[in-house]
Amino acid sequence: MAAVPFFPQSLPDETFSSRVARYQLMTGNASTTATFKELFGQANFALDQIVPPHIETLAARLPGEPGITLHNFLRENTLLPLFQPFLGKLEKGEERNNLINRLPRRVVGKHGDAHLCIQCVVEADERFGFGYWHRSHQAPGVTACWKHGTLLLSSCPVCSLPFQRRHHLLEVPWQPCTHCGHELNGATPVVPASAIAVSYSVFVHDLLHANMAPIVPDLLAQVYRQRIQQIGFVWGKPVNEKLAPSAAKPPRATSMTAFTEAFIEFLGADFVAQVDPAYAAGRTTFWLRFSTIDGVMDMPVPRHLLLAMRLFGTVAHFVEAIRSAGREAPPKRAAKGRVEPQANVELRDQYRQRIAREIKIEPAIVLEGLWHKAYRPTAWLVQHDKRWLDAALSGTPSETAPREVTADELLRDKQFAEKVEAQAREWIAQSGKPQRITIQRLLDCLPLNYSLLKSHPQRFPMLSEKIGLLKETSWCFSARRILWAVEEVQRLGLTVVPGNICARSSVSTYAILKICEFARWDLDAMAHQPINIPIELARAGIGLTWQGPQASAWREIGGRAYVAISSRAANQQASLPIYSEGIQARPEELPETPENLTRSEKSHARTTV
């Protein structure tokens, strides 16, 4: 491994990518590829991650102790100190790499952006002779400079060319814009930021430089709960009117529900959506949650930052609250005499009730079934209350007979099933960019809560069965996106090749090739004629429950919820009637094919009907 004789000295609050870019300027390398080869022995890769990859390779190549050099990189040039307090306690003997592996790969919602403050650049130029990029400006949700209170730039103010380009090193502010030649200097106009955006950037900056150690999740949850109760949000008590000024009468509700409403009102929904992409997308169910999964609190770091800023105001108060709670925490006892933290008793009772309800609905359920039915309660009880969970599973089945379904409920169940099927037909037939048909989207058109359907499926047998048939797999959704993308590529005047289809549809090239091979689609030929997506899918034998090509090594593609697939033999008969309208023969009316035919021959037999 070739040694790297020098690397630019780190400047205050400088990012790692800024140091790499300055290295190229100082060495005069003609290309970024040469720079990456010299430093990392790798081809170009993205440096905008929280902890850039191959950083340990550079640490080993530089003079000095590699471990110390790597520690300095992480502490001074990455966002790890900002994320570290919320990633769970590093157990004794556990390697630091395990803590880094808990990081999300990229700053949520900020991939591809690099933020710059013009005034910081001017000040650095006067002090060091050149400007550079600050870490605190790249933190998630930060849009304002903590020092000057102005909005940060992420692109050229003249031509809007982004500063950060994929697999390229930053060239601004050392060189003018490569497109329009504009130079960033003191004459560049600045825009003042909102007060809440500046407050958030100050809190993030101070926390980044506090270099806090990882916090035990239970201790962090305890500090959050205590502070929420101190400011007036206690179970069964009225909400503090000062914290909920718009409410005519303070509601009486659980502390978390009331606090969440006042919390968002205080910060402003627009600002919260700017920091938290999940909130901006409307995913607000259990938005604030203090449960623990795999030793880490189940809440994104940007949400931690918003919550800590709202509860404590300053990083100094936040640190002091953590230290005080740590000193007051009682020592842990042995296994039998272990006392649960008082803050978890309420959560324990809630999860016990949920599991007891699942066991009552399905008395013969086993632990594996509980993982599927109620993942979070099961995970918590396995970790904190295993004895009760084992006793509940080994108990005698409930003797209570299930409630009989009334005639009105049967009629409503039938109406609901017909409504979701009609809605699915409408979505499949509509033009425009396809949207995946999910359980939640289907239930959104009904006056029915998903938790009720999940808890009492026996009351909605037809609806449950229909939703199981209408819930679209990622393979089927990818097939629909491919057909839509063919028309889009043709409309844009591009060549109909898998690369352009991939760019428009967001379906991987691998999946495009496999789906087209299975369906016998000639995309170039299809592009020159109108495409009826439902008919094309029905001809190919692709229905909403299609599990993918039989020859594919993949199962469900994309997403986080993977399911076990026992057989693909039924894939070719998975088409639903909603795909077959307007065709002479429905899938169930197609001629049977001998069992000894190959998949391609069976597919060809269907397409020739």
Side-chain angles (χ1 to χ4, degrees):
M1 182 180 296
V4 177
F6 87 99
F7 193 59
Q9 188 70 23
S10 179
L11 298 174
D13 194 39
E14 186 176 17
T15 66
F16 185 77
S17 60
S18 178
R19 294 182 67 180
V20 174
R22 288 200 295 119
Y23 174 86
Q24 173 161 322
L25 291 174
M26 297 172 69
T27 57
N29 287 338
S31 66
T32 57
T33 302
T35 297
F36 276 86
K37 288 290 185 181
E38 288 179 11
L39 297 180
F40 309 102
Q42 301 282 340
N44 299 20
F45 55 86
L47 290 172
D48 59 341
Q49 299 185 21
I50 300 166
V51 174
H54 310 299
I55 193 173
E56 68 283 353
T57 302
L58 176 60
R61 289 184 167 190
L62 292 175
E65 177 61 33
I68 297 177
T69 304
L70 177 60
H71 174 76
N72 291 336
F73 280 158
L74 296 175
R75 180 187 176 91
E76 299 173 2
N77 303 122
T78 71
L79 290 174
L80 178 61
L82 179 65
F83 282 67
Q84 184 170 265
F86 312 107
L87 297 179
K89 183 67 174 177
L90 188 64
E91 299 295 338
K92 186 176 181 180
E94 185 180 5
E95 295 184 2
R96 188 180 182 86
N97 288 340
N98 292 341
L99 182 66
I100 297 176
N101 289 338
R102 301 174 195 170
L103 285 166
R105 290 190 61 197
R106 300 186 184 278
V107 177
V108 177
K110 294 298 178 185
H111 170 50
D113 290 342
H115 294 90
L116 192 68
C117 172
I118 298 298
Q119 292 170 288
C120 286
V121 170
V122 173
E123 291 181 0
D125 186 66
E126 295 174 352
R127 180 179 177 185
F128 303 105
F130 48 82
Y132 61 93
W133 296 80
H134 288 258
R135 274 189 310 168
S136 54
H137 296 161
Q138 319 308 322
V142 170
T143 58
C145 176
W146 65 274
K147 186 176 183 181
H148 301 101
T150 56
L151 289 178
L152 301 174
L153 295 178
S154 61
S155 60
C156 174
V158 175
C159 68
S160 300
L161 178 69
F163 296 143
Q164 180 72 61
R165 297 171 58 197
R166 182 176 176 84
H167 294 175
H168 283 71
L169 292 178
L170 295 166
E171 298 179 346
V172 175
W174 308 286
Q175 297 179 5
C177 176
T178 58
H179 182 70
C180 68
H182 175 73
E183 294 188 13
L184 296 176
N185 50 44
T188 303
V190 295
V191 180
S194 64
I196 189 65
V198 175
S199 299
Y200 177 74
S201 63
V202 170
F203 185 87
V204 168
H205 171 269
D206 293 346
L207 184 60
L208 179 62
H209 290 81
N211 279 302
M212 293 180 62
I215 306 172
V216 177
D218 291 341
L219 178 63
L220 184 60
Q222 175 187 341
V223 170
Y224 284 160
R225 289 192 178 98
Q226 287 178 349
R227 181 58 183 158
I228 290 174
Q229 293 174 0
Q230 289 173 2
I231 62 179
F233 293 89
V234 183
W235 183 286
K237 292 186 178 181
V239 179
N240 191 326
E241 295 184 6
K242 295 182 179 179
L243 298 174
S246 66
K249 183 178 180 180
R252 299 175 62 88
T254 63
S255 58
M256 188 56 66
T257 302
F259 172 72
T260 301
E261 294 175 357
F263 170 64
I264 294 174
E265 182 180 358
F266 176 82
L267 295 178
D270 292 340
F271 177 73
V272 174
Q274 174 183 298
V275 175
D276 188 358
Y279 182 84
R283 299 194 297 270
T284 57
T285 304
F286 297 110
W287 189 67
L288 291 180
R289 52 186 183 270
F290 300 155
S291 55
T292 302
I293 296 179
D294 296 333
V296 182
M297 189 178 291
D298 184 25
M299 193 163 65
V301 171
R303 217 166 295 165
H304 276 285
L305 299 175
L306 287 173
L307 181 61
M309 181 189 73
R310 174 65 188 95
L311 292 177
F312 303 98
T314 65
V315 171
H317 291 157
F318 178 49
V319 173
E320 181 58 31
I322 296 295
R323 289 176 179 172
S324 299
R327 288 193 297 266
E328 296 172 1
K332 292 184 179 180
R333 300 185 182 180
K336 285 189 177 180
R338 182 178 179 181
V339 179
E340 290 190 43
Q342 187 66 26
N344 286 341
V345 172
E346 179 183 324
L347 187 66
R348 180 204 64 188
D349 294 342
Q350 176 185 346
Y351 286 162
R352 281 184 176 182
Q353 292 176 6
R354 173 66 189 280
I355 295 302
R357 184 169 66 250
E358 295 294 344
I359 294 176
K360 187 176 182 180
I361 294 173
E362 188 177 347
I365 195 171
V366 295
L367 182 59
E368 182 180 359
L370 287 179
W371 281 106
H372 291 287
K373 295 281 187 180
Y375 176 82
R376 186 174 294 139
T378 303
W380 194 93
L381 291 173
V382 166
Q383 183 176 0
H384 300 284
D385 203 5
K386 188 67 161 57
R387 181 179 300 178
W388 180 90
L389 183 62
D390 292 338
L393 287 172
S394 61
T396 56
S398 173
E399 297 179 357
T400 304
R403 186 176 68 86
E404 294 184 0
V405 182
T406 64
D408 290 340
E409 289 178 334
L410 288 177
L411 178 60
R412 185 176 62 166
D413 178 36
K414 181 180 178 182
Q415 293 173 344
F416 284 174
E418 293 174 350
K419 188 170 183 179
V420 295
E421 182 174 4
Q423 185 64 65
R425 293 178 187 272
E426 181 180 339
W427 286 334
I428 291 295
Q430 71 183 6
S431 59
K433 189 175 183 179
Q435 298 295 321
R436 187 171 178 180
I437 301 176
T438 62
I439 293 178
Q440 189 59 55
R441 290 193 69 202
L442 290 170
L443 291 179
D444 283 344
C445 64
L446 300 176
L448 180 66
N449 191 285
Y450 176 60
S451 60
L452 178 62
L453 176 64
K454 189 175 181 181
S455 303
H456 305 283
Q458 71 280 2
R459 294 170 58 182
F460 306 94
M462 288 182 284
L463 177 61
S464 300
E465 180 182 5
K466 187 64 66 175
I467 285 180
L469 294 174
L470 297 177
K471 177 188 175 184
E472 187 176 23
T473 65
S474 57
W475 278 106
C476 175
F477 179 56
S478 297
R480 289 205 294 136
R481 291 287 288 264
I482 290 171
L483 293 176
W484 167 80
V486 170
E487 293 185 326
E488 280 293 295
V489 170
Q490 178 70 8
R491 182 180 65 85
L492 296 173
L494 302 175
T495 307
V496 183
V497 294
N500 289 334
I501 299 296
C502 174
R504 297 300 300 165
S505 66
S506 300
V507 179
S508 70
T509 305
Y510 174 88
I512 292 173
L513 296 176
K514 285 295 181 181
I515 292 173
C516 291
E517 178 188 359
F518 174 85
R520 291 180 173 269
W521 286 341
D522 184 346
L523 300 182
D524 188 44
M526 296 172 68
H528 295 86
Q529 56 187 3
I531 298 177
N532 188 311
I533 293 180
I535 292 179
E536 292 295 340
L537 292 175
R539 286 173 177 169
I542 297 176
L544 291 175
T545 58
W546 184 54
Q547 299 295 335
Q550 188 173 13
S552 172
W554 289 12
R555 295 187 178 185
E556 274 283 290
I557 53 176
R560 296 166 57 187
Y562 293 86
V563 295
I565 299 175
S566 58
S567 172
R568 297 191 183 276
N571 289 346
Q572 299 160 359
Q573 302 298 332
S575 294
L576 293 178
I578 60 174
Y579 278 162
S580 306
E581 293 183 351
I583 308 179
Q584 293 181 354
R586 293 175 177 255
E588 59 268 23
E589 299 169 347
L590 297 177
E592 297 183 358
T593 54
E595 293 297 329
N596 59 348
L597 290 183
T598 64
R599 175 190 56 77
S600 298
E601 292 170 334
K602 291 180 180 179
S603 177
H604 180 68
R606 289 195 305 274
T607 57
T608 54
V609 173

